[in-house]
Amino acid sequence: MPGELSPIDKAKFVAAKRAADMVEDGMRVGLGTGSTAAWLVRHLGDRVRDEGLRIKGVPTSARTAQLARQVGIEVITLDEAGTLNITIDGADEFDRDLNLIKGGGGALLHEKIVAAASEEVVVIADAAKEVGTLGAFPLPIEVIPFGWTTTQMLVEELLVAADVMGRRITLRMNAGKPFLTDEGNHILDLHLSRIGNARQLAMALNQMPGVVENGLFVDLCDKVIIGYSDGRVETRDINEGTVSEDRIDLVENDNLFSDI
């Protein structure tokens, strides 16, 4: 129930609610991955059930696909959709230019492909995700398992000349084994503390043999919706240069808060 949520979850709840209201009948919608995106999927499922909203969702991960089907959203592949009207996803960090770090949930490759196929990309987040400079959150890069230690060595050499503060790299683990993405790849987390030039670093990382994709999302986000625990919601549109604010009532909804 809203009253039982933590302040952070309340912020995620209202940001996702505002974003869900942007979705219109007949849209093809990219569905992000992570805790904030899960709220979005539940809100959209609520609209499908109560309003008869007809949408087709393209999930960015297997777990998002499972949740979407559970709440009644029609799930299709990106190949079936072709292009998307909108993608709504969370972020681990965003800056004032709406550049992002994503991939904390391990779905950065699918998330970036889906975002690139979208007419509009909207990020939903709590206020704690905003930073002056990207890099406090470890930057994920997806690498193929073959020769991943060599790939790590090449990335370490690259970081020596990069405009970053830290250079420690760790292999992401899960239950004592290397974490596997939906594509069967590993993730290296780059602990950089500060990234001076996100665009330059993203391009350089993707030139490394073995690197499939990196978690820097540059020039992809059109809007960010920031939620606050008191129900306030702030929407920033990077293209229009506008900032608006409203409020979402934290009203109990049995469908959203059931254990699905």
Side-chain angles (χ1 to χ4, degrees):
M1 313 298 177
E4 299 172 358
L5 295 177
S6 68
I8 290 293
D9 281 334
K10 287 179 181 178
K12 294 177 179 180
F13 175 92
V14 296
K17 179 69 166 62
R18 170 55 65 238
D21 290 341
M22 298 173 59
V23 176
E24 300 176 3
D25 201 56
M27 279 188 167
R28 301 179 304 279
V29 183
L31 304 173
T33 294
S35 59
T36 312
W39 285 120
L40 168 80
V41 173
R42 288 177 171 135
H43 283 303
L44 288 174
D46 195 46
R47 291 190 61 196
V48 168
R49 183 197 63 179
D50 295 340
E51 302 173 22
L53 179 72
R54 296 170 299 173
I55 60 173
K56 295 182 178 181
V58 175
T60 54
S61 66
R63 59 187 180 277
T64 296
Q66 181 182 25
L67 177 59
R69 291 188 179 99
Q70 286 178 328
V71 299
I73 297 173
E74 180 182 354
V75 171
I76 62 174
T77 67
L78 183 57
D79 290 330
E80 291 171 327
T83 59
L84 303 175
N85 301 105
I86 189 171
T87 287
I88 305 172
D89 203 349
D92 298 302
E93 285 186 347
F94 68 91
D95 65 15
R96 65 180 182 180
D97 297 319
L98 304 194
N99 296 317
L100 321 169
I101 286 182
K102 290 179 52 55
L108 62 106
L109 176 59
H110 286 192
E111 288 171 337
K112 190 172 283 190
I113 293 172
V114 168
S118 304
E119 296 172 5
E120 183 176 33
V121 176
V122 177
V123 160
I124 48 179
D126 59 90
K129 299 298 191 301
E130 183 172 12
V131 296
T133 303
L134 297 177
F137 190 91
L139 173 65
I141 60 173
E142 185 162 340
V143 301
I144 65 170
F146 176 80
W148 72 265
T149 56
T150 298
T151 301
Q152 177 174 335
M153 180 183 66
L154 292 172
V155 173
E156 289 171 341
E157 293 175 356
L158 167 68
L159 294 179
V160 171
D163 185 7
V164 297
M165 186 175 295
R167 296 196 293 271
R168 186 168 64 92
I169 300 176
T170 56
L171 176 67
R172 188 176 299 185
M173 304 296 288
N174 179 34
K177 298 180 180 179
F179 175 89
L180 292 180
T181 69
D182 282 353
E183 294 295 332
N185 295 319
H186 294 336
I187 286 184
L188 297 176
D189 287 310
L190 281 52
H191 303 262
L192 307 178
S193 299
R194 182 189 63 82
I195 300 172
N197 190 325
R199 180 178 287 101
Q200 184 180 71
L201 181 60
M203 293 175 61
L205 285 170
N206 279 8
Q207 292 176 352
M208 293 290 100
V211 174
V212 180
E213 190 52 83
N214 70 85
L216 287 167
F217 284 52
V218 178
D219 297 332
L220 282 173
C221 179
D222 298 292
K223 294 178 183 176
V224 62
I225 300 177
I226 306 167
Y228 296 86
S229 60
D230 61 0
R232 287 182 298 123
V233 179
E234 179 182 316
T235 302
R236 301 181 194 173
D237 188 318
I238 193 71
N239 300 313
E240 299 294 333
T242 58
V243 179
S244 60
E245 186 173 303
D246 59 2
R247 184 177 294 274
I248 301 291
D249 290 332
L250 290 164
V251 179
E252 179 177 331
N253 184 308
D254 289 337
N255 185 56
L256 285 175
F257 295 95
S258 61
D259 185 17
I260 57 177

